[in-house]
Amino acid sequence: MQGKGLITIVAIVLGLICLNELLPTWYAGKIEKQATAIAGDNPEKYQKEIERLSKDTLNLGFTELYYSKAKDKEMKLGLDLKGGINVLLEINQRDLVNDLTNYSTNPILIEALNRTDEVQKNSTKSYIDNFFVEFDAVNKAKGANLKLADPEIFGNTNLSEIKFNTTDEQVKSIVKKRIDLSVGTAFEVIRTRIDKLGAIQPNVQRVPGTARISVEMPGMKDIDKVKKMLQTSAKLQFWEVQQVPEVLPYFQTLTSTVSAKGDSMGVKKNVNFMNLLQLDKLRTNGVASVKLSDTAAVNKIINSKIGQSLRPANIKYTQFMWGYKPESTDPNSLVLYAIRGNINQKAPVDGAVETANISYDELSRVVVDMQMDSKGAKDWKTLTEKNVGKPVAVTLDNRVYTAPNVVGAIPNGRTQISGNFSQEEAKELVDVLGAGKLPAGAKVVQATQVGPSLGQESIDAGVISFAIAFLIIIAYIIFYYGGAGVYAVIAMIINLFYIFGIMDSGDFTLTLPGIAGIVLSMAMAVDTNVIIYERTKEELFAGKGILEAYKDGFKHALNAIIDGHLTMILTAIVLFFFGTGPIKGFALTLLIGAVMTLFTSILLSRVMIFNRLNKGKGLSVWTSPTKNLFRNTWIDFIGKRKYSYIISAILTVISLGSIFVNGFKYGIDFTGGRNYVVRFDKDVNAEDVEHNLVKMFTTEDGKNSSVEAKTFGNDKQLKISTDYLIDDESLKADQTIEQKLYEGLKPNLPSNLTLEDFKSADKDHAGIISSEKVGPTVADDIQTHGILAVVAALAGIFIYILFRFRKWQFSLGAVAALFHDAIIILGAYSLLHKVMPFNMEINQDFIAAILTVLGYSINDTVIIFDRIREYLREKKALTLSGLFDDAISSTLGRTFNTTFTTLLVILAIFIFGGDNLRGFMFALLIGIGFGAYSSIFIASAIAYDFLRTGKEEEVHGKSSSNKEVLATK
């Protein structure tokens, strides 16, 4: 065999690289196992053992291993395998635009921004692109003919490169670059903050084409602390403060208005606004002291359209801000401050902090000392000179930390923030200020938290399902193909080694969907070997010698293998570019697996087999029970196609009927909302829990939010979903929902379980073991990308089949079969989502499953079409129907073996792979089964029907029917 030396060298070099990459993972795991064996469940003792064992080194000659370095280089595990926190931050691009326009109040600009905010809720385009569209629309509608380079828009000192004659297109380019730079700055600030959190192997990435930043922190538990640290923009500002006498008339007006129009202001008419303010309890420079439970009502009243319209001139631009936390003298209330604003709401002092550190005041209370930059120091001096004897508020992200009276002018930019801090809170504030400020506000639009106990369970389930699937494949392929099967297993083991090595060397993250992709890659490797060995068997039955049979077997199988793998690679690429989150992880491993399968099963396996055969040794390609299986099997598939059309039509009608009548259970990926998986210490009834929670998640206007509780895995676990406060992406909303969830579940929880313990369960107590939040804008993006992925995959497959087989009839048959498979799976999910004991939501994982089925089904179809194409060239049939039947019948062995082994593998993962994968695997079970059926009875039948109705030309051989002709063009 030519090139075997090069293939061997490549295999050895690739193997050494993978070994070098995987050794740190092995060594870190070895040290941690030793520490666990000694320390048990004692975390302090475990840490001491790790520190002791970290001093050891392992010298292997070509590399030296020690724990800290090995830990840094070990394979990254996703949250679903290790536990931890993942958040998707979105930088507020309206803030960025406001900053670039120097907070202009031009009415056309303001209206364009307001319209962009609305459009953005249902758009996958970037904010700035939508803004330019809306600005043009408003500009045209008003007949203003306002240029983007106008001083009231972007032609100001903040964008000095824009001149009066700069064109709109040039301005757009400049603004886009500046916004991209601002998001890049935010990315660096976020990364610095994460370093201060002490996260191990954090993964911080910008989401291309958006103002979003993805942050993954394995092992982290306190999601509230993480959200707070990441969302804080560190926008430190200093404002003048208005006192009670200035706002009291307004409050009195609101009190009488609420009693008359409360319903229109979002509260009940019997609410006494003045009583909510508790002015008699006020002990600070604020304007009200409000109970924590009443802050939401006060916000609604003040911020309502009616409340805004009633403002007198002296507080037209006043910003009402809450204190950072309750005062120590009244822990159940928050102080409301009246901040003197202006038309563009620009703070008198808005300077970056150069240094910040923890200190103590004269009463030994924790405070934060800081030094402003030169501009901030200058503005601070002006503000303090102007307000001697008056209060000035120090705010961070629109929260008032302190509002002391100014004793005298402060000329040097040094100041102090007090706020009833604990030592830990002061440290967090110093860390945030020290990392620098974000160029704009940030909000968490998507968040996932997986507890460490669930992560370990996922690892165990993944390893068990993986091992069982692997053993099934090994046993079956050796049973069916004998000695040749042993070589297939060797190639498959090397393939796995390469996949894990490449994942590690590329610093990719391994997830549960990723493991599923690897298992499917194994099934693809089996398929490759099945195709080769089935063709080799045909050559042996034709009377050829063993060496010649293997040569021809590899040669004739090559086209079908390459076609099948290229369609799978195409599907994986589409998944990777259009998918998000778990879909990307699945696509990545599938892509790597497909490429490595081509190398190991075609090239490396061939070198090993021919190395044996060239030495004169034999190599069986069957065993006694399997030698004659499917040999001489011939079925009139084309003659029976009408029955398959009827069966498929019935199933399609049932599926479509259920889809229109029953609909689907959409996951929060598509709808937005929050999911919580809660573990209990006893069996619970999902319906009773759901009934109790509906009462808890009622909005203030009396409307019920959507709440669903469903058994998840076993009767001691529930998956609880709700759209309560779906449009509120703040940390406070998350905490409110967790509090209500805790209160609603209390009858089913241990009596001594605290809220903090409930929010982060482990193996020793009940509570939330995983949570997920998806904002409505992100849900819309995920849904759009999912649909695009399916459409792009179908279009790509159609074009590829057309290119490879040169006939649109083959492309039509292939795509029709894929539509058939997709509708059957959708119908099954519509029919069964209410009765199945596992998750059957339409979400990202489901899209991944659909695309996997499409890729696998087209692989089946390509094998059959390839044989039809071969027979067309060799003129092996008297009629077109006979030619199709011969081609399909001759590939039955391959179709059965591949489908059977793949279904066994998927079934193993379905049973043993854990609750998170069951819905995904169920879709694959249905899809792979129907994929094999549709390749034969739909794709081939449709291709046949459209081929024979084409322009009549001479057919191959003598036709048995004058009506049945083949269009060869």
Side-chain angles (χ1 to χ4, degrees):
M1 173 190 169
Q2 292 181 343
K4 67 177 181 180
L6 178 61
I7 294 168
T8 304
I9 291 171
V10 171
I12 292 172
V13 171
L14 187 57
L16 290 174
I17 292 172
C18 291
L19 178 65
N20 185 62
E21 293 294 333
L22 291 171
L23 277 173
T25 301
W26 165 79
Y27 186 73
K30 174 176 173 288
I31 294 296
E32 288 168 0
K33 283 182 181 178
Q34 290 176 356
T36 302
I38 297 170
D41 294 330
N42 187 325
E44 294 180 1
K45 191 174 180 181
Y46 173 82
Q47 195 57 42
K48 288 180 180 178
E49 286 301 320
I50 286 289
E51 291 173 4
R52 182 181 67 82
L53 292 168
S54 295
K55 298 174 184 177
D56 296 338
T57 59
L58 179 63
N59 193 336
L60 298 175
F62 62 92
T63 186
E64 191 172 338
L65 297 171
Y66 53 94
Y67 178 75
S68 58
K69 184 178 179 181
K71 190 67 180 172
D72 288 339
K73 292 187 67 177
E74 74 174 346
M75 180 176 285
K76 288 183 178 179
L77 299 179
L79 300 189
D80 48 6
L81 294 177
K82 194 172 185 178
I85 296 168
N86 176 280
V87 295
L88 185 64
L89 283 170
E90 185 169 73
I91 307 302
N92 189 326
Q93 292 187 78
R94 177 165 182 156
D95 285 357
L96 295 178
V97 174
N98 276 330
D99 184 62
L100 292 177
T101 62
N102 203 19
Y103 293 86
S104 169
T105 56
N106 182 283
I108 291 176
L109 173 70
I110 300 299
E111 185 175 342
L113 285 169
N114 291 337
R115 287 172 60 162
T116 305
D117 289 343
E118 290 301 313
V119 169
Q120 197 65 22
K121 294 177 182 179
N122 300 301
S123 172
T124 57
K125 292 172 64 178
S126 70
Y127 185 95
I128 193 62
D129 283 334
N130 282 328
F131 166 76
F132 288 137
V133 171
E134 296 306 317
F135 180 84
D136 290 342
V138 176
N139 203 9
K140 185 176 180 181
K142 302 285 186 183
N145 199 27
L146 193 65
K147 289 183 64 179
L148 290 173
D150 189 281
E152 289 193 10
I153 311 300
F154 292 112
N156 57 72
T157 54
N158 285 348
L159 288 167
S160 57
E161 59 265 54
I162 295 178
K163 310 300 179 185
F164 74 93
N165 59 347
T166 306
T167 66
D168 279 0
E169 289 305 314
Q170 291 172 327
V171 172
K172 289 177 182 180
S173 177
I174 292 168
V175 170
K176 285 182 179 181
K177 286 179 182 177
R178 286 293 293 270
I179 285 182
D180 189 63
L181 284 173
S182 295
V183 177
T185 300
F187 173 78
E188 294 301 328
V189 171
I190 293 296
R191 193 159 60 179
T192 303
R193 291 182 186 179
I194 288 168
D195 290 340
K196 293 179 181 293
L197 280 170
I200 299 172
Q201 288 187 320
N203 184 17
V204 189
Q205 294 180 332
R206 285 185 62 179
V207 180
T210 71
R212 292 173 181 168
I213 299 170
S214 173
V215 180
E216 187 170 284
M217 287 167 284
M220 293 293 290
K221 297 180 182 179
D222 192 345
I223 194 166
D224 285 353
K225 180 179 178 180
V226 170
K227 287 180 181 178
K228 182 179 176 183
M229 187 75 162
L230 298 182
Q231 284 183 274
T232 300
S233 69
K235 186 170 65 175
L236 192 68
Q237 297 176 322
F238 298 78
W239 301 84
E240 294 179 351
V241 177
Q242 294 176 276
Q243 302 285 271
V244 172
E246 294 179 80
V247 298
L248 186 59
Y250 172 59
F251 286 166
Q252 291 170 337
T253 302
L254 284 179
T255 302
S256 57
T257 304
V258 169
S259 63
K261 301 179 179 180
D263 293 343
S264 301
M265 303 172 81
V267 296
K268 296 177 180 178
K269 291 182 180 179
N270 60 359
V271 170
N272 188 312
F273 181 65
M274 194 61 74
N275 287 347
L276 297 182
L277 302 179
Q278 300 184 108
L279 296 179
D280 57 315
K281 295 178 66 176
L282 190 61
R283 302 289 183 271
T284 68
N285 285 321
V287 293
S289 179
V290 182
K291 288 182 181 178
L292 292 172
S293 57
D294 293 332
T295 55
V298 171
N299 277 334
K300 285 187 175 183
I301 293 168
I302 291 175
N303 296 322
S304 66
K305 288 184 178 180
I306 296 175
Q308 296 275 0
S309 66
L310 292 172
R311 288 191 177 196
N314 69 317
I315 61 168
K316 182 178 181 180
Y317 300 114
T318 296
Q319 299 181 69
F320 288 98
M321 296 184 188
W322 295 101
Y324 158 68
K325 62 184 290 189
E327 299 290 321
S328 57
T329 54
D330 189 3
N332 296 316
S333 299
L334 268 184
V335 175
L336 181 67
Y337 293 86
I339 305 300
R340 191 183 306 280
N342 46 57
I343 190 169
N344 57 15
Q345 297 298 3
K346 195 171 184 179
V349 183
D350 190 356
V353 176
E354 289 187 341
T355 60
N357 54 73
I358 298 174
S359 185
Y360 302 90
D361 64 11
E362 64 277 2
L363 298 177
S364 298
R365 294 174 300 190
V366 178
V367 295
V368 173
D369 280 335
M370 62 180 190
Q371 174 66 50
M372 296 182 192
D373 61 13
S374 57
K375 182 181 183 302
K378 183 180 178 181
D379 293 340
W380 183 223
K381 179 185 177 183
T382 302
L383 183 64
T384 51
E385 282 177 341
K386 181 181 175 183
N387 288 278
V388 174
K390 300 177 184 177
V392 171
V394 181
T395 70
L396 186 69
D397 295 337
N398 298 324
R399 288 276 182 172
V400 178
Y401 275 69
T402 183
N405 288 319
V406 177
V407 177
I410 303 174
N412 56 10
R414 293 191 64 83
T415 190
Q416 193 177 80
I417 305 177
S418 60
N420 190 25
F421 296 125
S422 67
Q423 190 79 20
E424 184 178 357
E425 288 169 337
K427 182 181 182 304
E428 289 177 14
L429 180 56
V430 167
D431 286 344
V432 168
L433 293 174
K437 70 174 184 177
L438 292 175
K443 59 182 179 180
V444 173
V445 293
Q446 186 176 3
T448 303
Q449 180 182 19
V450 179
S453 59
L454 183 61
Q456 186 58 50
E457 289 167 11
S458 297
I459 291 176
D460 295 341
V463 169
I464 290 171
S465 64
F466 190 85
I468 291 173
F470 192 60
L471 289 174
I472 288 172
I473 289 176
I474 289 174
Y476 186 82
I477 201 165
I478 292 177
F479 161 75
Y480 202 92
Y481 292 110
V486 173
Y487 279 89
V489 169
I490 294 171
M492 196 161 54
I493 292 172
I494 296 173
N495 188 13
L496 279 176
F497 179 67
Y498 286 163
I499 292 173
F500 281 111
I502 292 170
M503 289 284 292
D504 201 359
S505 64
D507 209 25
F508 302 127
T509 301
L510 182 65
T511 61
L512 268 180
I515 288 179
I518 291 174
V519 173
L520 282 174
S521 297
M522 290 163 53
M524 286 170 57
V526 171
D527 182 42
T528 301
N529 286 287
V530 166
I531 295 169
I532 293 169
Y533 296 156
E534 287 296 318
R535 292 306 301 249
T536 302
K537 283 169 69 174
E538 290 180 22
E539 303 302 329
L540 286 171
F541 288 138
K544 294 181 181 179
I546 186 73
L547 184 59
E548 188 182 0
Y550 269 104
K551 285 181 180 178
D552 288 344
F554 271 98
K555 183 176 74 173
H556 293 313
L558 190 60
N559 277 341
I561 292 170
I562 290 175
D563 284 339
H565 276 72
L566 285 179
T567 51
M568 187 63 80
I569 288 170
L570 174 67
T571 303
I573 290 172
V574 169
L575 275 168
F576 187 81
F577 282 102
F578 287 95
T580 56
I583 296 180
K584 279 187 180 289
F586 175 80
L588 183 65
T589 53
L590 194 61
L591 184 60
I592 295 170
V595 174
M596 285 299 99
T597 297
L598 282 172
F599 176 72
T600 56
S601 297
I602 295 179
L603 299 178
L604 191 57
S605 175
R606 181 171 181 152
V607 168
M608 292 188 293
I609 288 174
F610 282 101
N611 186 54
R612 177 184 177 88
L613 294 176
N614 287 330
K615 292 178 181 178
K617 297 179 181 179
L619 185 64
S620 63
V621 76
W622 56 59
T623 60
S624 296
T626 63
K627 179 178 180 180
N628 293 308
L629 279 179
F630 301 106
R631 186 182 178 189
N632 299 323
T633 301
W634 190 90
I635 299 173
D636 183 13
F637 290 106
I638 296 301
K640 295 179 173 58
R641 70 188 186 284
K642 292 179 181 178
Y643 299 109
S644 64
Y645 284 162
I646 293 171
I647 293 170
S648 292
I650 292 171
L651 291 174
T652 301
V653 169
I654 293 172
S655 297
L656 291 174
S658 178
I659 290 168
F660 286 114
V661 175
N662 296 328
F664 299 107
K665 171 66 176 77
Y666 290 101
I668 64 168
D669 295 13
F670 282 11
T671 61
R674 293 170 174 86
N675 273 344
Y676 300 90
V677 177
V678 183
R679 180 173 292 167
F680 301 85
D681 61 348
K682 59 185 178 182
D683 290 353
V684 291
N685 184 285
E687 291 184 6
D688 293 342
V689 168
E690 185 176 308
H691 179 73
N692 292 334
L693 290 176
V694 167
K695 302 173 185 175
M696 299 299 301
F697 293 107
T698 302
T699 58
E700 291 187 13
D701 55 2
K703 294 180 180 178
N704 290 333
S705 299
S706 170
V707 180
E708 181 186 71
K710 191 168 184 177
T711 301
F712 188 75
N714 60 65
D715 289 334
K716 291 183 180 179
Q717 284 185 176
L718 292 180
K719 185 174 186 179
I720 299 167
S721 305
T722 180
D723 63 359
Y724 183 68
L725 298 182
I726 185 174
D727 292 317
D728 191 342
E729 294 164 335
S730 67
L731 174 59
K732 185 178 178 182
D734 296 338
Q735 293 171 333
T736 299
I737 293 173
E738 288 166 348
Q739 174 75 41
K740 287 180 174 290
L741 189 63
Y742 171 68
E743 295 293 337
L745 295 176
K746 254 188 176 179
N748 303 101
L749 297 171
S751 57
N752 61 345
L753 186 71
T754 65
L755 174 61
E756 289 306 311
D757 286 339
F758 169 75
K759 287 166 66 173
S760 182
D762 58 30
K763 61 182 179 181
D764 296 323
H765 66 75
I768 298 172
I769 58 175
S770 75
S771 64
E772 183 179 13
K773 176 180 84 170
V774 180
T777 55
V778 176
D780 184 70
D781 289 351
I782 291 172
Q783 189 174 21
T784 302
H785 281 109
I787 294 169
L788 282 174
V790 175
V791 172
L794 288 170
I797 287 168
F798 182 93
I799 293 168
Y800 182 79
I801 297 297
L802 183 62
F803 172 76
R804 288 294 291 155
F805 294 96
R806 308 291 182 181
K807 294 183 185 296
W808 64 266
Q809 293 92 338
F810 284 117
S811 291
L812 179 64
V815 172
L818 297 184
F819 269 113
H820 168 273
D821 299 340
I823 289 170
I824 297 298
I825 299 172
L826 287 166
Y829 267 61
S830 175
L831 280 167
L832 303 174
H833 74 263
K834 294 180 181 178
V835 297
M836 284 295 187
F838 50 84
N839 176 34
M840 291 191 72
E841 295 177 346
I842 305 297
N843 54 21
Q844 291 186 83
D845 291 347
F846 178 80
I847 295 295
I850 285 282
L851 285 167
T852 303
V853 167
L854 298 186
Y856 211 88
S857 177
I858 197 64
N859 201 16
D860 274 344
T861 304
V862 162
I863 298 301
I864 295 172
F865 283 0
D866 189 75
R867 187 61 64 93
I868 293 171
R869 179 176 58 182
E870 181 184 329
Y871 281 12
L872 284 171
R873 287 196 303 264
E874 296 178 2
K875 304 178 182 181
K876 285 191 175 181
L878 294 177
T879 64
L880 183 59
S881 62
L883 186 147
F884 268 69
D885 286 334
D886 283 356
I888 298 170
S889 297
S890 67
T891 59
L892 277 180
R894 177 265 165 199
T895 301
F896 173 81
N897 281 325
T898 301
T899 304
F900 183 65
T901 52
T902 304
L903 288 176
L904 283 178
V905 166
I906 294 170
L907 190 61
I909 303 173
F910 176 77
I911 295 172
F912 301 104
D915 303 318
N916 288 329
L917 279 178
R918 286 212 171 90
F920 180 84
M921 286 300 152
F922 184 73
L924 293 188
L925 277 173
I926 300 170
I928 298 300
F930 274 98
Y933 161 84
S934 67
S935 296
I936 296 172
F937 292 101
I938 304 298
S940 300
I942 287 177
Y944 165 79
D945 278 327
F946 278 89
L947 279 167
R948 78 186 184 93
T949 57
K951 183 179 177 181
E952 294 190 5
E953 291 190 11
E954 183 180 350
V955 298
H956 300 293
K958 181 181 178 182
S959 175
S960 61
S961 170
N962 290 329
K963 295 179 181 179
E964 187 177 339
V965 293
L966 172 63
T968 57
K969 290 186 178 179

